[in-house]
Amino acid sequence: MIEVPTASPAETLSLGRHLAAHLGVGDIVLLSGRLGAGKTLFAAGVGEGLGVEEPLTSPSFILARAHNGFLPVVHADVYRLGTSAEFEDLDLPEQARDGVLLIEWGDVVAHGVPEDHLMVKIEIVGEGERLFRFVPSGKWIHKNLAELRP
């Protein structure tokens, strides 16, 4: 696990862009943290880093949006799902097989995604300040996540 603090929304966005440089086809990133923690802002940074031109906004009401960039990005928000069967029906890993999958509230569905994923736990530590914990699983254990530190 690697911990990275951010002191402002701009730094959170930048950290997302920085993570994008480490992502490739088939990567799954699960985002967790309470409401207002910065999951969508961080995802927007990842999208920018992957060349997505339109802003990534919360897909809460439609559950998932696909975006084109250097790699395709599927950005999902599973907050409103009631059961794990509803998540399985979405088949998000298959939808994103040619790109990157970002799932907000990903801790809720971690059991339903492949073992090869990165969990990003976001904690609010102050006004605009966040602590990011990058928890690797599967092939992510072998990646050098220390490069995410400033």
Side-chain angles (χ1 to χ4, degrees):
M1 178 182 68
I2 300 296
E3 292 185 348
V4 180
T6 61
S8 68
E11 285 186 15
T12 293
L13 196 63
S14 178
L15 181 59
R17 285 192 298 264
H18 194 62
L19 175 63
H22 298 273
L23 297 175
V25 172
D27 280 340
I28 298 172
V29 179
L30 306 178
L31 306 173
S32 75
R34 68 182 212 212
L35 205 58
K39 296 178 293 294
T40 302
L41 183 62
F42 181 78
V46 172
E48 285 181 13
L50 291 174
V52 173
E53 292 184 10
E54 70 271 8
L56 262 73
T57 57
S58 180
S60 293
F61 295 103
I62 62 165
L63 300 179
R65 284 193 179 114
H67 301 275
N68 292 317
F70 306 128
L71 289 174
V73 177
V74 174
H75 178 213
D77 183 328
V78 297
Y79 180 75
R80 299 199 185 287
L81 292 182
T83 66
S84 55
E86 287 178 296
F87 175 72
E88 291 169 14
D89 287 345
L90 293 173
D91 202 15
L92 292 172
E94 178 60 23
Q95 285 185 45
R97 75 178 180 280
D98 295 328
V100 172
L101 174 59
L102 304 172
I103 303 177
E104 294 190 34
W105 303 97
D107 51 325
V108 175
V109 296
H111 64 280
V113 299
E115 179 186 6
D116 293 332
H117 65 267
L118 178 64
M119 175 70 73
V120 180
K121 297 180 178 184
I122 308 168
E123 180 183 342
I124 299 171
V125 294
E127 185 66 37
E129 298 175 14
R130 303 295 186 261
L131 180 62
F132 286 78
R133 290 184 178 93
F134 295 87
V135 183
S137 179
K139 70 179 183 181
W140 279 93
I141 292 172
H142 306 292
K143 292 191 178 191
N144 186 7
L145 295 176
E147 294 176 356
L148 295 174
R149 288 191 182 122

